């Protein structure tokens, strides 16, 4: 079945450093979605990318969809303590199933 | 507007028991999906319902069942609970329920099976 992979699962950065994480799908995706889950919270939708090569920005966050629509990246410029949390990518598959990666948990040292 | 609501917030059950979890979607949303999230993992898809019809089912045993009501609220039922069913159960609603619709998640129900 479809797999969505996020490696590594944990990353620690110094406040102010940049951070980049990647997401890879075993199949071509019609779109890819990113969610953020704060500790003890629930996933919150961040962005959806649809077009091949699409780039979207949200303040210090930049999201990109790969040309082959099988991978995506999230880049955070000058991380802040408010960026702490787990970032999930998710891709739609058959039978309305949205498949999530395991997520990357970001910690930021002040 | 109220977001997705779920009840109860926490639940403790013993092995073999049955549990019912409830979800109310955002007003106007006709699709509800259920996910199971185990610690350290991403949400795992269990079911999706749209207009009271099951539209998708994940790789979960028949002990898991769900339904959607005319007001679009939903219930997830789990029978014969196992220790491994301990998890955060998330409900998410979306406008159309297609794979192009992103999900609004509720706060979840934390289930502990002893």
């Amino acid at each position: 079945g479809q797999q969505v992979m996020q490696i590594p699962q944990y990353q620690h950065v110094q406040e102010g450093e940049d951070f980049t994480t990647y997401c890879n799908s075993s199949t071509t995706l019609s779109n890819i979605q990113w969610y953020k889950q704060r500790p003890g919270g629930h996933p919150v939708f961040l962005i959806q990318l649809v077009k091949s090569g699409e780039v979207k920005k949200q303040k210090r966050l930049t999201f990109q969809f790969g040309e082959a629509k099988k991978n995506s990246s999230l880049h955070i410029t000058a991380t802040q303590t408010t960026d702490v949390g787990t970032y999930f990518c998710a891709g739609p598959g058959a039978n309305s199933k949205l498949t999530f990666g395991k997520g990357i948990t970001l910690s930021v040292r002040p | 507007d109220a977001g997705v609501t779920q009840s109860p917030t926490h639940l403790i059950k013993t092995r073999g028991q049955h549990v019912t979890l409830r979800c109310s979607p955002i007003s106007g949303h006709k699709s509800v999906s259920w996910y199971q999230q185990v610690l350290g993992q991403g949400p795992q898809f269990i079911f999706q319902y749209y207009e009271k019809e099951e539209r998708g089912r994940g790789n979960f045993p028949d002990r898991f069942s769900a339904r959607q009501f005319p007001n679009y609220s939903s219930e997830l039922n789990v029978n014969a609970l196992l220790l491994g069913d301990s998890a955060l159960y998330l409900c998410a609603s979306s406008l159309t329920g297609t794979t192009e619709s992103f999900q609004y998640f509720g706060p979840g129900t934390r289930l502990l099976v002893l």
Side-chain angles (χ1 to χ4, degrees):
Chain A
Q2 178 192 39
Q3 291 184 16
V4 176
M5 292 152 285
Q6 293 182 259
I7 297 172
Q9 274 197 270
Y10 302 93
Q11 193 152 347
H12 312 278
V13 300
Q14 185 72 40
E15 188 174 21
E17 286 183 348
D18 291 354
F19 162 77
T20 302
T21 189
Y22 301 92
C23 170
N24 295 290
S25 169
S26 59
T27 60
T28 301
L29 300 170
S30 61
N31 71 84
I32 195 158
Q33 302 168 22
W34 285 88
Y35 294 79
K36 178 182 179 181
Q37 186 171 22
R38 293 184 185 275
H42 58 275
V44 174
F45 173 77
L46 294 177
I47 204 95
Q48 181 183 49
L49 305 169
V50 178
K51 299 177 183 176
S52 169
E54 186 171 16
V55 177
K56 285 189 177 180
K57 292 188 176 184
Q58 284 183 351
K59 298 182 180 178
R60 296 177 294 101
L61 276 61
T62 302
F63 303 84
Q64 184 165 8
F65 203 5
E67 294 291 338
K69 301 184 77 173
K70 293 184 71 174
N71 53 68
S72 180
S73 65
L74 158 61
H75 177 82
I76 303 179
T77 303
T79 54
Q80 299 177 0
T81 54
T82 53
D83 296 324
V84 162
T86 301
Y87 293 84
F88 295 100
C89 62
N95 300 323
S96 301
K97 179 180 177 179
L98 191 62
T99 301
F100 282 76
K102 288 187 176 182
I104 179 163
T105 299
L106 175 66
S107 66
V108 179
R109 294 186 297 272
Chain B
D1 285 341
V4 177
T5 59
Q6 291 186 244
S7 63
T9 55
H10 296 80
L11 205 50
I12 300 175
K13 291 284 189 178
T14 56
R15 280 179 299 174
Q17 284 189 312
H18 159 270
V19 69
T20 297
L21 310 181
R22 295 177 175 84
C23 170
S24 291
I26 290 172
S27 177
H29 284 193
K30 298 181 178 180
S31 174
V32 168
S33 297
W34 287 94
Y35 294 83
Q36 181 194 66
Q37 187 177 28
V38 175
L39 199 62
Q41 302 289 321
Q44 296 290 309
F45 174 80
I46 310 175
F47 287 110
Q48 188 199 28
Y49 277 79
Y50 179 74
E51 289 279 17
K52 303 181 290 295
E53 298 286 329
E54 181 184 301
R55 188 175 261 185
R57 174 185 284 254
N59 297 326
F60 281 81
D62 291 344
R63 300 185 295 108
F64 288 76
S65 64
R67 55 180 175 167
Q68 187 177 32
F69 299 99
N71 66 353
Y72 303 110
S73 67
S74 178
E75 281 182 358
L76 175 70
N77 295 283
V78 187
N79 292 323
L81 285 167
L82 303 174
L83 297 180
D85 295 331
S86 296
L88 176 66
Y89 287 85
L90 294 161
C91 171
S93 76
S94 62
L95 202 57
T96 64
T98 64
T99 52
E100 280 62 45
S101 294
F102 52 86
Q103 312 273 306
Y104 292 86
F105 282 87
T109 294
R110 294 189 184 276
L111 173 65
L112 177 61
V113 182
L114 301 176

